Amino acid sequence: MYDFHEPTAAYQAPTPAQIAAAQDWVARFEVRWAKPDADALRDLMHPDTRNLIPPMAAPGDRETVVEHFRNVLAMLPDFRLRVVRWAPSGDTVMIEWEGAATVAGKPLTWRGVDRISLRGDRMYEGQVYWDTRSLAEQMQAAMTAA
């Protein structure tokens, strides 16, 4: 169990090289998600990356993530992400984004955050967070109204 009385982690100021890598990576991430193609996401990740994206039960490597997004895009072909803001800390970048897609003719939007860690110009670890219940409720309402 987590002890909330433990000291919090210290902020790790990124080096100039880490800032440059983060800027480049976020720019590429934004371009890929403006018109997503699952295979085009491959160059953002090291082959051995470990990424956990809802509803995955366990982290996946690059090919698992590409296949995950292939399935997402098959269900939501107009799915897009827009970067709202981002910030680096050491080799890690937090990216707040807004997702949008159409379900049963109804436009849906939601916000989330990616926490990614970079080695060079590629991600070696990532975790995605968003309110999955709220999105599921929006999708259910759209399908029920159709």
Side-chain angles (χ1 to χ4, degrees):
M1 181 171 193
Y2 184 78
D3 181 0
F4 286 99
H5 301 290
E6 291 179 10
T8 58
Y11 172 73
Q12 295 177 356
T15 65
Q18 287 171 324
I19 292 172
Q23 286 174 321
D24 174 67
W25 196 92
V26 171
R28 290 185 293 130
F29 175 89
E30 194 163 32
V31 166
R32 300 301 179 284
W33 283 109
K35 190 172 182 184
D37 167 4
D39 292 305
L41 300 172
R42 206 175 256 113
D43 78 334
L44 296 172
M45 301 173 274
H46 284 283
D48 63 345
T49 191
R50 303 303 300 155
N51 295 295
L52 186 59
I53 305 161
M56 290 178 167
D61 63 10
R62 180 172 67 187
E63 295 312 310
T64 301
V65 171
V66 168
E67 185 61 28
H68 169 79
F69 283 116
R70 210 178 264 125
N71 293 330
V72 168
L73 293 169
M75 290 185 298
L76 303 169
D78 68 338
F79 177 54
R80 303 290 181 268
L81 287 181
R82 177 183 65 85
V83 173
V84 175
R85 72 184 119 221
W86 63 275
S89 175
D91 72 346
T92 299
V93 183
M94 304 295 281
I95 304 167
E96 180 184 0
W97 47 260
E98 182 175 69
T102 304
V103 173
K106 306 285 185 205
L108 305 181
T109 62
W110 65 99
R111 287 213 175 178
V113 173
D114 278 27
R115 179 202 37 82
I116 62 106
S117 296
L118 298 174
R119 185 171 64 239
D121 66 346
R122 294 180 186 214
M123 174 177 32
Y124 70 86
E125 182 181 79
Q127 173 91 40
V128 181
Y129 304 90
W130 77 79
D131 182 351
T132 57
R133 181 178 176 163
S134 174
L135 180 58
E137 288 171 352
Q138 287 185 64
M139 293 175 87
Q140 178 65 35
M143 291 186 292
T144 302

